[in-house]
């Protein structure tokens, strides 16, 4: 939008310059004022970029005194239903008092790990946990619902090395990888505490941000689980240099920036560009589908601790003009230009009120442009944000 406005402004300027020699000084002065007023609105950040406000009434209450633990994953399906992956094991004894034997309080009980909400926030069904034929993760981490309606789950527990695929009602379909001792970036038979997933349905490919032990993006056949390709930072071969860190005392050094450090999400745009959240390195790297490096954006580059880029989604306009980023360390949502990486708007800050965040970990977007966030650590909630323009 800004580029179109700038182009229009340039046309006006050219016309003005041609006409100036044929006008009086007074008319010229009027034209200058009008021109500067029109063009000034298009200088600096694009203030028309989407901003958001919280919908404090969303979601509706869970049934049977159930309560959410850490909301590690949130996703939307093609019908604009919202899917949450939460960690029942993260609840304190006080929070799950009604589930103890004998009960210690009248409320509450852990909800199942996977919960489906409709667009109005009504809980529809819930399932998940250990079962026959698959290895449920030690620590639930991400959820993704593909265009065919399959639900994908990852985990980042110490021994997690698998991705799970289910139907919408929780029927097991496929497991890629296996739990056990961690191996390394060269192992294509398992993952290394995988962080985030996305399916390219047309290509029948599953992209994995394999980022808590390994430092790579790895791609599998989404039907069979067969390995296809992988890459590290800047599209290079992933290096086996030991497990990725999850926290730093200082911002990343130039040496650390040479490769991924905790790749935390992977998203595929309509135009085929692949966006990777390199969380601890405070950046987004952009690739072609074959892993060829295109460019990168720094996001709050001086952030230490667990880094700034925890998750991202692309806007739903035809050109996908914006990137929406969950900055979990600084506890805010950022609106970025997908073209330049410039921060155009921010939403929220650290806190406990509706619209605030505490370790905003994951992000989803529906067809109407609404955003959904999940907090981990002690945040333990899912929130909805609606566009304000």
């Amino acid at each position: 939008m800004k580029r179109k406005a700038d182009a229009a402004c340039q046309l006006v300027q050219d016309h003005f310059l041609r006409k100036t020699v044929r006008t009086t000084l007074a008319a010229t002065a009027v034209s200058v004022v009008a021109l500067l007023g029109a063009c000034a609105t298009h200088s600096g950040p694009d203030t028309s970029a989407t901003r958001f406000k919280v919908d404090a009434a969303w979601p509706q209450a869970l049934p049977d005194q159930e309560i959410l633990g850490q909301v590690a994953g949130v996703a939307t399906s093609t019908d604009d239903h919202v899917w949450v992956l939460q960690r029942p094991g993260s609840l304190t004894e006080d929070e799950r008092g009604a589930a103890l034997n004998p009960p210690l309080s009248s409320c509450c009980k852990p909800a199942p790990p996977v919960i489906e909400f409709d667009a109005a926030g009504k809980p529809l069904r819930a399932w998940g946990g250990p079962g026959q034929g698959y290895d449920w993760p030690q620590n639930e981490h991400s959820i993704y619902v593909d265009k065919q309606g399959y639900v994908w789950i990852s985990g980042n527990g110490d021994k997690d090395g698998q991705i799970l695929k289910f139907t919408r009602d929780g029927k097991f379909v496929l497991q890629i990888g296996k739990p056990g001792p961690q191996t390394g970036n060269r192992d294509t038979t398992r993952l290394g505490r995988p962080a985030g997933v996305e399916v390219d349905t047309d290509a029948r490919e599953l992209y994995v941000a394999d980022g808590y032990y390994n430092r790579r993006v790895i791609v599998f056949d989404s039907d069979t689980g067969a390995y296809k390709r992988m890459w590290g930072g800047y599209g290079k071969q992933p290096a086996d240099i030991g497990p990725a860190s999850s926290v730093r005392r200082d911002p990343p050094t130039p040496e650390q920036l040479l490769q991924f450090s905790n790749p935390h999400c992977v998203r595929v745009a309509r135009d085929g560009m692949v966006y990777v959240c390199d969380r601890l390195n405070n950046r987004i790297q952009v690739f072609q589908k074959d892993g060829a490096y295109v460019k990168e954006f720094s996001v709050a580059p001086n952030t230490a601790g667990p880094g700034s880029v925890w998750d991202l989604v692309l806007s739903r306009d035809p050109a996908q003009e914006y990137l929406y980023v969950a900055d979990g360390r600084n506890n805010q949502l950022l609106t970025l230009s997908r073209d330049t990486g410039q921060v155009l708007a921010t939403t929220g800050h650290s806190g406990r009120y509706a619209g605030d965040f505490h370790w905003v970990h994951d992000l989803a977007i529906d067809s109407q442009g609404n955003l959904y966030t999940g907090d981990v650590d002690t945040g333990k909630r899912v929130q909805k944000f609606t566009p304000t323009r």
Side-chain angles (χ1 to χ4, degrees):
M1 293 174 61
K2 184 175 184 295
R3 291 192 299 272
K4 293 178 181 178
D6 289 342
C9 188
Q10 185 62 52
L11 290 174
V12 173
Q13 289 174 324
D14 293 343
H15 174 74
F16 166 72
L17 290 174
R18 290 193 301 269
K19 190 175 180 181
T20 296
V21 297
R22 301 193 302 271
T23 60
T24 64
L25 182 61
T28 298
V30 172
S31 298
V32 169
V33 172
L35 176 63
L36 292 178
C39 294
T41 62
H42 302 301
S43 63
D46 182 1
T47 55
S48 69
T50 303
R51 298 174 185 271
F52 296 88
K53 61 180 180 180
V54 69
D55 181 350
W58 197 100
Q60 299 175 32
L62 297 176
D64 304 323
Q65 297 183 318
E66 291 176 347
I67 189 174
L68 294 176
Q70 295 174 357
V71 178
V74 60
T76 55
S77 46
T78 56
D79 54 6
D80 279 346
H81 288 190
V82 180
W83 294 74
V84 164
L85 179 69
Q86 63 97 24
R87 297 168 175 165
S90 68
L91 292 170
T92 65
E93 185 176 88
D94 177 67
E95 289 170 325
R96 57 185 175 89
L100 301 177
N101 188 17
L104 297 185
S105 58
S106 60
C107 192
C108 295
K109 303 174 184 178
V114 177
I115 307 170
E116 177 187 2
F117 297 88
D118 67 15
K122 179 182 178 180
L124 300 179
R125 62 179 129 190
W127 49 267
Q132 290 289 332
Y134 61 87
D135 299 295
W136 190 259
Q138 288 180 318
N139 194 52
E140 296 88 353
H141 193 270
S142 74
I143 187 169
Y144 179 79
V145 185
D146 66 28
K147 292 180 181 178
Q148 296 177 312
Y150 290 111
V151 180
W152 299 80
I153 304 291
S154 79
N156 71 329
D158 288 341
K159 294 186 177 181
D160 286 336
Q162 71 276 26
I163 302 289
L164 302 177
K165 179 181 181 180
F166 296 91
T167 63
R168 292 178 71 122
D169 58 1
K171 181 181 178 181
F172 171 66
V173 176
L174 177 68
Q175 177 168 320
I176 302 173
K178 57 188 176 182
Q182 301 298 339
T183 52
N185 287 294
R186 303 299 174 86
D187 190 344
T188 60
T189 67
R190 69 185 307 280
L191 291 307
R193 304 179 64 200
V197 304
E198 179 147 323
V199 175
D200 181 349
T201 303
D202 294 337
R204 309 181 88 84
E205 291 184 335
L206 171 73
Y207 287 76
V208 182
D210 194 21
Y212 273 91
Y213 187 89
N214 294 334
R215 302 165 182 258
R216 63 185 179 181
V217 171
I218 187 168
V219 184
F220 299 93
D221 186 292
S222 60
D223 294 327
T224 67
Y227 165 74
K228 301 193 76 170
R229 60 189 179 276
M230 65 178 173
W231 67 86
Y234 295 104
K236 298 178 181 179
Q237 184 72 16
D240 270 329
I241 58 173
S245 175
S246 59
V247 66
R248 288 187 180 136
R249 295 180 61 87
D250 300 296
T253 65
E255 183 179 2
Q256 289 169 330
L257 290 172
L258 293 176
Q259 58 195 308
F260 287 145
S261 185
N262 189 209
H264 203 252
C265 86
V266 57
R267 303 291 187 183
V268 182
R270 295 191 192 109
D271 60 9
M273 293 295 99
V274 179
Y275 292 78
V276 178
C277 303
D278 193 7
R279 174 173 143 175
L280 221 62
N281 281 336
N282 303 325
R283 68 184 176 188
I284 299 164
Q285 287 205 327
V286 189
F287 303 88
Q288 296 175 8
K289 289 184 179 182
D290 62 1
Y293 172 75
V294 177
K295 59 184 175 181
E296 66 180 9
F297 307 132
S298 292
V299 180
N302 294 324
T303 302
S308 63
V309 186
W310 293 36
D311 201 359
L312 69 83
V313 293
L314 291 102
S315 59
R316 290 299 184 96
D317 57 285
Q320 295 190 298
E321 189 172 357
Y322 304 118
L323 300 175
Y324 302 122
V325 175
D327 179 351
R329 180 64 183 92
N330 299 301
N331 284 297
Q332 57 186 350
L333 296 180
L334 305 175
T335 301
L336 272 61
S337 162
R338 184 161 81 99
D339 184 34
T340 67
Q342 180 185 9
V343 176
L344 304 175
T346 63
T347 299
H349 53 74
S350 183
R352 304 290 182 179
Y353 294 109
D356 295 344
F357 303 109
H358 180 71
W359 280 33
V360 55
H361 183 263
D362 42 291
L363 190 59
I365 188 169
D366 66 18
S367 67
Q368 303 304 306
N370 300 305
L371 296 181
Y372 301 87
T373 65
D375 286 5
V376 293
D377 195 53
T378 60
K380 300 179 181 177
R381 63 178 173 180
V382 60
Q383 297 189 90
K384 176 181 179 179
F385 291 82
T386 60
T388 58
R389 70 157 201 194

